[in-house]
Amino acid sequence: MIEVKTVGVIGAGQMGSGIAHVAALAGYDVLLHDVSSERIQSGLATINGNLARQIQRGAITEQERQGALARVKDTHAAIEALAPCQLVIEAATEDETVKRKIYDALMPALSPQTIVGTNTSSISITRLAAATDRPEKFIGIHFMNPVPLMQLVEIIRGIATDEETFQVAKTFCEALGKTVTMAEDFPAFIVNRILLPMINEAIYTLYEGVGSVEAIDTAMKLGANHPMGPLALADFIGLDTCLSIMQVLYDGLADSKYRPCPLLVKYVEAGWLGRKTRRGFYDYRGEKPVPTR
């Protein structure tokens, strides 16, 4: 079985930086790739800040923080720099066209033995695998956000994924201290198949005037014992990502119960995408979040 020593991560955003963080902390060399050095520097700053918080909680030592940071290398200059990797995880935006362009550039740079994983939260693994030169060595490795804190990783095999690829991905995730669950290759897999329709229904509840933003989130926190209300959670995930996943469910399963709420579409069209744009169902521009409806 392939032994993973060097991991490539494509995308230095919220998910990519989180994957790089946990891989480096577990002792893997990490080659972090994005379109610009600025994005990678931003990702490294996020990693450093999150490692510092782990020190404050007593979860890691200063020596472990320094070791993890030293293992993450900036490879923005060329995707060919990922050639030494035994495993590359693509954590780009949830857009199939973008992912396919990345694979077109990536495949010629890799050894035929290199395994390619995608952190997609909803797109068909079989279809993405077919866009590569190695469908048998392609697999879904879906981390939860925020990666350093969340214990679960969904692993999804495409129709062509071979047993060695599955075992390598599973072993790697377990080495990160994660719990692995297997999901079949159906739209949105397990977590988002259940979670996103709930969030979409919360948005419909707001849209139809059943409750305000604050009332809906309070009701679900205190009435269902959720740690975060569904609208606050939508802002955390990113409303564009929520919409993208709902569209995948709606298109893939052809059931009206997955129709994205028009209010969700309106917020995305306005560019109010949640925390990352400082406005969504809450306005984050002040000292504390304020509901926008």
Side-chain angles (χ1 to χ4, degrees):
M1 193 167 79
I2 295 168
E3 183 182 1
V4 176
K5 294 181 179 179
T6 303
V7 180
V9 178
I10 298 176
Q14 196 171 37
M15 295 305 296
S17 63
I19 295 166
H21 172 148
V22 295
L25 198 55
Y28 293 96
D29 290 324
V30 179
L31 303 182
L32 186 58
H33 181 79
D34 210 313
V35 294
S36 70
S37 181
E38 290 75 17
R39 288 195 184 187
I40 292 180
Q41 293 310 310
S42 175
L44 288 170
T46 299
I47 292 168
N48 191 23
N50 288 336
L51 287 167
R53 277 187 279 277
Q54 286 181 299
I55 291 174
Q56 290 170 357
R57 295 198 308 271
I60 65 170
T61 65
E62 172 61 21
Q63 187 176 3
E64 286 173 317
R65 182 189 74 86
Q66 292 181 10
L69 288 172
R71 283 189 283 273
V72 183
K73 301 291 189 296
D74 177 345
T75 64
H76 79 277
I79 203 165
E80 288 76 17
L82 299 178
C85 299
Q86 293 83 38
L87 169 66
V88 174
I89 301 173
E90 167 270 305
T93 186
E94 193 69 353
D95 182 316
E96 188 167 341
T97 302
V98 171
K99 293 180 186 296
R100 284 171 174 264
K101 285 180 181 175
I102 289 169
Y103 303 151
D104 286 345
L106 175 65
M107 295 307 142
L110 300 181
S111 156
Q113 285 74 44
T114 302
I115 291 170
V116 176
T118 175
N119 187 58
T120 181
S121 53
S122 60
I123 301 170
S124 166
I125 302 305
T126 296
R127 194 166 68 241
L128 290 177
T132 75
D133 62 358
R134 62 194 70 207
E136 71 288 344
K137 293 196 171 296
F138 190 93
I139 193 163
I141 306 175
H142 179 215
F143 290 84
M144 304 295 128
N145 185 31
V147 180
L149 296 179
M150 300 296 277
Q151 284 297 109
L152 186 74
V153 178
E154 288 180 316
I155 293 184
I156 310 100
R157 297 172 76 149
I159 196 168
T161 306
D162 66 25
E163 183 63 22
E164 183 186 31
T165 297
F166 167 69
Q167 292 298 337
V168 169
K170 184 171 182 287
T171 300
F172 168 72
C173 293
E174 289 173 344
L176 304 182
K178 303 299 185 186
T179 298
V180 171
T181 189
M182 272 293 298
E184 291 298 323
D185 189 18
F186 285 97
F189 319 130
I190 296 173
V191 173
N192 285 330
R193 172 75 177 265
I194 298 166
L195 177 64
L196 265 297
M198 185 201 76
I199 289 174
N200 194 53
E201 193 62 30
I203 300 169
Y204 266 114
T205 304
L206 177 65
Y207 177 61
E208 292 168 5
V210 179
S212 66
V213 168
E214 198 168 29
I216 292 164
D217 277 356
T218 299
M220 292 307 292
K221 283 192 292 183
L222 302 184
N225 205 27
H226 289 191
M228 184 184 288
L231 301 175
L233 181 56
D235 278 354
F236 181 76
I237 293 167
L239 303 192
D240 53 339
T241 301
C242 292
L243 178 58
S244 174
I245 295 169
M246 287 310 301
Q247 286 172 331
V248 167
L249 280 165
Y250 189 46
D251 294 344
L253 298 172
D255 191 322
S256 61
K257 72 181 180 180
Y258 298 116
R259 183 172 71 94
C261 179
L263 185 60
L264 174 59
V265 175
K266 184 180 288 188
Y267 269 67
V268 172
E269 287 175 345
W272 291 19
L273 308 182
R275 285 181 176 269
K276 61 187 171 186
T277 59
R278 304 185 69 198
R279 271 193 294 189
F281 293 112
Y282 292 86
D283 188 325
Y284 300 92
R285 294 173 298 174
E287 285 187 17
K288 58 179 286 187
V290 177
T292 54
R293 289 180 82 86

